[in-house]
Amino acid sequence: MSDVELYYFSGRGLAEIARILLTVADIQYKEVNLKTRDDYVNLLPDLLFQQLPLVRIDGMNLVQSGAIARYISGKAKLLGDSAAEAARIDMLYEGTRDFLKFFLFCGLEPGDKLAEIKEKAFPRYLPAFNKVLVESSSGYLVGSRMSLADLGLFEVLLATVDYFTDEPINEYPKLKAFYETMRTNEKIAKYISSVRKPKNDATLMETVRQVFTHVKI
């Protein structure tokens, strides 16, 4: 049995980057999907800020998705080869998180989220990341090999294809080539085929409501 455990809902949300990283890093883990209010209440002693996801790893109870992602990335050598590379990886990764926020509540909240993504997110982020790739000689965002920034961007591109097909990406040749390179990576292909959670739906929304309704925090 694995000593690493991931606690979240059976949805992508803020835990999907941890699933990607754990798979790419070849770290075996057990996933525990919360389904009831009691599941959450029982975890509260280990939730420093009363938030999910939670990853138990190396004797720690790690919360905050960014801290989780960086810790796993450090173990997997996905943070670059110098302080300068690490800083640039961090900068670009944070950009992918801003991009991802547009997708987090698709299917969970009223309103035309897809129109907002098309009108606000795509014009801001797709050309920016394509520009970084144009300036790269390796096909990756930073340095000569895959990093946390690449995996963060790929997560958002997968969501883009889910909701819009690959049409928005096709307008940017370097971004399209990057997407295809990442998609065909053996470990990432494993993540896509057997780990990745489905899009948000009514069942997930109801589960989230059940878990958080009437919880006194």
Side-chain angles (χ1 to χ4, degrees), residues 28-196:
Q28 299 296 314
Y29 69 99
K30 173 185 176 184
E31 179 160 349
V32 180
N33 295 139
L34 278 66
K35 298 178 181 177
T36 67
R37 179 165 63 94
D38 286 344
D39 291 341
Y40 172 71
V41 171
N42 291 337
L43 273 184
L44 279 174
D46 296 329
L47 299 178
L48 182 60
F49 304 112
Q50 302 177 346
Q51 296 171 314
L52 297 167
L54 163 68
V55 172
R56 302 192 198 276
I57 185 170
D58 295 340
M60 298 183 290
N61 292 322
L62 279 183
V63 294
Q64 295 293 333
S65 57
I68 292 167
R70 289 175 179 86
Y71 185 74
I72 299 169
S73 294
K75 293 174 71 71
K77 303 187 185 305
L78 295 170
L79 296 178
D81 295 321
S82 67
E85 282 193 0
R88 187 162 176 79
I89 288 167
D90 205 29
M91 176 184 73
L92 293 169
Y93 176 70
E94 288 301 318
T96 72
R97 298 307 86 186
D98 291 341
F99 192 0
L100 182 67
K101 286 176 184 177
F102 285 88
F103 288 91
L104 287 178
F105 297 101
C106 286
L108 297 180
E109 290 184 347
D112 193 348
K113 298 293 181 183
L114 298 186
E116 184 181 16
I117 292 169
K118 192 171 183 179
E119 294 169 7
K120 295 182 179 181
F122 286 167
R124 178 184 299 181
Y125 295 105
L126 292 179
F129 284 111
N130 190 72
K131 179 177 183 292
V132 175
L133 290 167
V134 167
E135 295 170 352
S136 168
S137 61
S138 67
Y140 295 111
L141 290 171
V142 180
S144 60
R145 55 190 172 84
M146 187 189 301
S147 72
L148 171 61
D150 297 302
L151 292 167
L153 176 57
F154 184 66
E155 178 189 4
V156 194
L157 295 182
L158 279 176
T160 296
V161 173
D162 273 350
Y163 288 99
F164 295 91
T165 74
D166 60 357
E167 183 176 350
I169 301 173
N170 289 340
E171 298 179 26
Y172 302 94
K174 289 292 186 180
L175 204 57
K176 175 66 172 179
F178 168 85
Y179 174 77
E180 292 299 332
T181 296
M182 295 291 285
R183 186 174 64 85
T184 54
N185 175 281
E186 182 178 357
K187 292 178 181 179
I188 294 176
K190 174 185 176 183
Y191 154 75
I192 294 171
S193 65
S194 61
V195 177
R196 190 175 186 234

